[in-house]
Amino acid sequence: MEKSSGKKNTAVLISGRGSNLRSLIKYSKTKKSLIKIVLVISDNISAKGLNYANKSNINNIVIKYSDRKSFEDRLLKLLKINNVDLICLAGFMKILSGKLIKKFNNTILNIHPSLLPKYKGLNTHKRAIHNKDKFSGATVHIVNDKLDSGKIILQKKVKILKSDNEKSLGKKVLKIEHEIYPKAIIRLLTSC
Ligand code: GRF
């Protein structure tokens, strides 16, 4: 659903720190941005990322996660009311149902801190270091009904140095996450 401004109404789902949300807000404020962030949803009332939404006067709502069905019922209502066209998961720690994913077919993106298909799930940096990988990186992909498995939109590598540990690698990867998420959105929205 294209809005008169031509920008896609975007919802960002978070659970914690929100540094990717911050980078998406920054992008959305640029002149050429293809998105307008109309809604930020968190399943966690203490998510630090909510502060970024507040600072930028973006409508933000906490939906308590008691069970998936009631969470998603409320989420769907909010997405509808706000005419959301694109959903960006940014450190959102809950798994969405196949039913919801189908409803938003090919319009839910996720960012993951590894070079998918390597290291789906958690503790990606720990596993990359443990396996003595030479590279790690970040991936933006479409969300499908299998964990961290949808079509890859954009990926960028970073070198793992001998001196790296989980923390230093995480920092390097996070930096490129902030760079590639907006780029992946542009790629997705200009390729269809
Ligand atoms: C990021 O590393 C992202 O790739 C992963 O969760 C982390 C969220 O960080 N899915 P932040 O909340 O965006 O700072």
Side-chain angles (χ1 to χ4, degrees), residues 73-162:
D73 283 350
R74 176 108 172 89
L75 175 64
L76 267 174
K77 273 187 196 142
L78 289 166
L79 296 173
K80 241 189 188 164
I81 294 168
N82 289 281
N83 289 315
V84 168
D85 308 302
L86 176 71
I87 301 171
C88 294
L89 307 185
F92 179 65
M93 299 306 284
K94 296 288 189 299
I95 293 176
L96 296 171
S97 69
K99 205 171 150 196
L100 188 138
I101 292 168
K102 221 174 174 182
K103 273 205 174 114
F104 282 84
N105 197 19
N106 290 327
T107 54
I108 310 179
L109 286 175
N110 181 42
I111 185 145
H112 185 76
S114 79
L115 293 173
L116 289 173
K118 249 188 164 178
Y119 310 134
K120 296 171 184 174
L122 298 174
N123 300 318
T124 55
H125 308 311
K126 195 175 181 177
R127 289 187 276 162
I129 299 259
H130 176 83
N131 289 337
K132 301 194 165 36
D133 289 353
K134 295 218 158 38
F135 293 94
S136 185
T139 305
V140 178
H141 65 95
I142 300 266
V143 173
N144 68 8
D145 58 359
K146 289 190 197 78
L147 183 70
D148 300 327
S149 296
K151 183 179 168 201
I152 290 173
I153 304 296
L154 197 61
Q155 198 163 56
K156 192 169 175 181
K157 276 184 186 175
V158 292
K159 224 176 180 171
I160 303 180
L161 305 175
K162 285 219 169 82

